[in-house]
Amino acid sequence: MKALGYGIYLQWKMDIRSRSLLITCYLVPLLFFLMMGSVFTSIMPESQETLMASMTVMGVSMGAYIGLPPSIAEIYGTDIKKMYMANHIPEYFAVLSLFLSAFIHLMMMSSLIYILSPLLFDATCPIHPVLYFVMLILFVLVSLSIACILGLAVHNQAKLTMISQIIFLPSIILSGIMFPVSLLPSFLETIGKLCPATWGYLLLIEQPIQLSNVFILCMILIVALVICYALLRSIRSSFRHLP
């Protein structure tokens, strides 16, 4: 456990110096927040009620789907995994440390949006801040779990970038954070319900919280973790057959 804690701390320090993580977890989401926050509140003053949630969902989705998978694939899709085998490091260690490090960064970014939204755009604050952050944590965990599946399953960086974009773009366009889903054709609205961002956004803006939406995200999280476990077992088997 001590080794795991040190590994997470070390990974977090390495991520701070990563340009890729700086762009996907901080720079782009916060710039998007500053630009679109001004646009939304100018054109649609009522968007102040949902601005915090919509910008948070966008930032978390980008950091998870675009930022995390390449880092995982870089380890499990290259000879770096031989170093883990040679040093008798558990195969889950790298993905777990990357997962938890990304979780910390995304929560920091989300906290910045939470603090800046009312100060810069007079955005409405959640009535129950603790419950808001509990739902945010659930959404971040679900998003990162899906990102781990991508990184563990797809090792080709070109294919991984394409698949990550295929998941990320519907999460932004069809989740309701840019415009109401009621404006979408019915089949696109149905596709949007396959995106965790849709349910995460609902949980962040709903008062009171609908337990059915919590259940859906929890089920997605469980399924994603089971798939990650299966992929890690496959990787463990490949470890044993490495020359």
Side-chain angles (χ1 to χ4, degrees), residues 12 15 21 25-26 60 68 96-110 133 136-142 144:
W12 184 75
D15 286 344
L21 183 133
C25 286
Y26 292 102
V60 169
L68 181 59
L96 183 58
S97 60
L98 286 166
F99 180 98
L100 293 175
S101 176
F103 175 82
I104 294 172
H105 286 294
L106 291 180
M107 289 303 298
M108 290 174 61
M109 179 271 297
S110 300
F133 275 96
L136 174 60
I137 288 171
L138 175 60
F139 172 58
V140 173
L141 291 176
V142 171
L144 290 176

Side-chain angles (χ1 to χ4, degrees), residues 68-78 146-164 167 231 235:
L68 181 59
S71 298
I72 297 176
E74 186 179 0
I75 293 175
Y76 290 98
T78 65
I146 295 174
C148 288
I149 294 176
L150 295 177
L152 292 171
V154 184
H155 296 156
N156 182 285
Q157 290 288 350
K159 290 182 180 179
L160 181 59
T161 300
M162 180 180 66
I163 295 174
S164 296
I167 295 177
L231 290 171
I235 291 171

Side-chain angles (χ1 to χ4, degrees), residues 122-196:
D122 199 25
T124 303
C125 292
I127 299 175
H128 305 289
V130 174
L131 187 58
Y132 174 88
F133 275 96
V134 170
M135 294 300 102
L136 174 60
I137 288 171
L138 175 60
F139 172 58
V140 173
L141 291 176
V142 171
S143 300
L144 290 176
S145 297
I146 295 174
C148 288
I149 294 176
L150 295 177
L152 292 171
V154 184
H155 296 156
N156 182 285
Q157 290 288 350
K159 290 182 180 179
L160 181 59
T161 300
M162 180 180 66
I163 295 174
S164 296
Q165 292 286 354
I166 290 174
I167 295 177
F168 170 69
L169 291 177
S171 297
I172 301 306
I173 299 173
L174 306 180
S175 62
I177 70 171
M178 302 296 291
F179 46 80
V181 293
S182 58
L183 299 178
L184 294 171
S186 58
F187 77 96
L188 288 180
E189 186 176 351
T190 301
I191 293 175
K193 291 180 179 179
L194 299 176
C195 303

